[in-house]
Amino acid sequence: MRRTSDRTLFLLVAAFTVGGTLWSFLDYSHNVRIAGVAIMAMVFGSLVLRTVYMVAIVVLLVGCVLVVVVPHEQVTSQLTASGVVMLTSVAAVSIVQTGRRDALGLRRMSAESVLERVRHRLHVQGRVPALPLGWHVDVAQQGAHRAAFAGDIVSTRLHDVDGVPYLEVALVDVSGSGIEAGSRALLLSGAVGGLLGAVGPDEFLDQANRYLRRQNWGADFASATHLRLNLVTSGYEIRNAGHPPPLRWAAADRLAVRSASTGTVLGVVDDLGLHADSGTLEPGDALVLYTDGLIDDRPTDLDASIDRLEQRVGETLAAHPVGSLAERLSRAPRSSTPDDRTVAVIWNDRARSPVGPAHAGSAEVLAAPARVLRLGRLRRSRAGR
């Protein structure tokens, strides 16, 4: 079936080439030029044909060009020296592009469409699920050099354990930036998404590290932050593998402080030496997870850059709602060495929701997030049917 389809497309392009050549041969007013016919045939052929057929079209075009320009001696009008250079360049690019598509096993599909699908899958995996009342997660990403396909990964999962809802967030930064890191980010995103919720919080980064070690990336590595948040008690655990320390915004003190979680980057050593940080997000508090592109300022040291970020978080929250924090931080002025930037903000807004501190002792209210989670799953199941 595919072979017949390829052959049909080849015959279609060949027919267009012959027809355009005949038209150019008979058009003594030179309104239709063989150069234009040749370019249209090569561009269309490079999008739909296999390499062997593309080479055949180029050979056919060479013969057609000679048929038009030699008998009528129309070299100066139908094809100039610059036209020959242009046609040769288009032919070379068309054959190379077709060869690359064949090497990837693609048929009538451009590399741009593949990247678009990959970007969509990464976006879907990082989409934040519907959370119980009072909880919010906001994610903002900016690729280096405005690239839409980069090396930062955000993966989230909402699941329940014994009726208690938990939110897990993994923020991963693959070494490199922009599109060059995109292929490794895609490879790692599948493993990260599969591990979230499937293993305990104390095993997640270790398992991701073992997976990365098996990939033999050489000098490349990845850093990561993993958050597990109990949506009933507001208790959280943060584990950090080579990432800059997450920030905890304390609404009562109007102060941003660093998390004490530490660990080695993924893919380098077997033992990450992880030290978890835990606490409770009180109403109005927020956690800020971010990649090093947000603080990458080579002339200054890391501590000074994080100090400035802490100050910027405080200034932003003093003038704007917490819901706009991620977007504002990701758009901060870039350093002289552009890098991918990702910010994830998780905050507790339960003081302004039906689940408020006045009902903190009510078992019915504490069970509300779990009921919301189960109701959301039931609705999605019915919609899928």
Side-chain angles (χ1 to χ4, degrees):
M1 181 68 71
R2 177 180 295 175
R3 187 172 300 173
T4 302
S5 178
D6 288 342
R7 201 172 288 142
T8 301
L9 288 170
F10 168 72
L11 292 176
L12 179 64
V13 178
F16 172 81
T17 302
V18 174
T21 302
L22 181 62
W23 195 3
S24 298
F25 186 83
L26 298 177
D27 180 31
Y28 292 100
S29 65
H30 312 313
N31 290 327
V32 179
R33 299 181 180 277
I34 186 62
V37 173
I39 288 178
M40 286 188 288
M42 286 187 290
V43 170
F44 179 70
S46 67
L47 296 176
V48 299
L49 297 180
R50 296 170 56 188
T51 306
V52 61
Y53 291 130
M54 190 65 232
V55 173
I57 289 295
V58 171
V59 172
L60 177 62
L61 281 169
V62 171
C64 291
V65 169
L66 293 177
V67 166
V68 172
V69 301
V70 173
H72 292 292
E73 298 180 353
Q74 296 172 341
V75 177
T76 57
S77 60
Q78 286 273 3
L79 194 62
T80 62
S82 61
V84 172
V85 174
M86 178 181 63
L87 288 177
T88 303
S89 301
V90 174
V93 171
S94 299
I95 293 175
V96 170
Q97 177 179 339
T98 307
R100 288 179 176 175
R101 193 176 64 246
D102 279 353
L104 293 173
L106 302 177
R107 290 292 183 269
R108 294 177 295 282
M109 183 183 298
S110 67
E112 289 80 5
S113 65
V114 175
L115 291 177
E116 178 66 25
R117 293 185 182 186
V118 169
R119 183 180 70 169
H120 175 70
R121 292 310 308 164
L122 289 174
H123 176 72
V124 168
Q125 182 163 318
R127 187 177 298 163
V128 179
L131 299 178
L133 294 176
W135 290 103
H136 306 274
V137 177
D138 190 23
V139 178
Q141 293 185 278
Q142 298 286 337
H145 308 291
R146 300 181 180 273
F149 182 61
D152 288 353
I153 308 166
V154 179
S155 188
T156 60
R157 184 175 180 187
L158 182 64
H159 62 99
D160 63 297
V161 178
D162 297 330
V164 178
Y166 285 87
L167 173 67
E168 294 199 38
V169 180
L171 176 57
V172 182
D173 182 7
V174 175
S175 60
S177 62
I179 294 179
E180 65 172 329
S183 59
R184 298 194 303 276
L186 176 63
L187 178 67
L188 189 55
S189 67
V192 169
L195 289 173
L196 274 182
V199 298
D202 55 339
E203 299 179 10
F204 174 80
L205 290 176
D206 286 324
Q207 293 288 348
N209 182 56
R210 292 190 186 100
Y211 172 82
L212 204 57
R213 294 278 284 167
R214 292 195 299 269
Q215 304 310 307
N216 296 321
W217 279 10
D220 294 315
F221 57 90
S223 59
T225 294
H226 176 244
L227 166 69
R228 189 174 194 251
L229 175 64
N230 186 319
L231 298 180
V232 173
T233 66
S234 303
Y236 68 86
E237 297 178 52
I238 293 181
R239 289 171 176 81
N240 213 22
H243 248 6
L247 303 181
R248 154 86 181 272
W249 167 258
D253 300 328
R254 311 297 295 173
L255 184 66
V257 296
R258 306 180 194 182
S259 168
S261 57
T262 58
T264 308
V265 294
L266 305 177
V268 177
V269 295
D270 292 329
D271 185 8
L272 298 178
L274 297 172
H275 295 282
D277 184 27
S278 60
T280 302
L281 279 185
E282 302 295 340
D285 290 359
L287 288 170
V288 182
L289 315 182
Y290 57 96
T291 58
D292 59 0
L294 205 68
I295 58 170
D296 192 7
D297 194 359
R298 301 303 171 88
T300 61
D301 60 28
L302 183 63
D303 285 337
S305 297
I306 298 176
D307 287 340
R308 285 196 296 272
L309 178 61
E310 292 174 352
Q311 182 179 1
R312 195 158 69 240
V313 168
E315 293 173 350
T316 302
L317 291 181
H320 304 280
V322 67
S324 65
L325 179 61
E327 186 66 25
R328 291 180 179 277
L329 290 179
S330 68
R331 290 181 177 179
R334 294 179 179 272
S335 67
S336 58
T337 54
D339 195 2
D340 303 325
R341 293 178 171 219
T342 299
V343 185
V345 180
I346 303 94
W347 75 95
N348 182 355
D349 196 26
R350 297 172 76 183
R352 290 191 289 269
S353 74
V355 185
H359 304 281
S362 171
E364 180 180 355
V365 171
L366 288 177
R371 292 201 305 272
V372 171
L373 176 59
R374 289 193 291 269
L375 180 60
R377 287 183 173 177
L378 179 60
R379 288 176 178 174
R380 287 194 296 270
S381 175
R382 290 177 177 174
R385 295 176 184 173

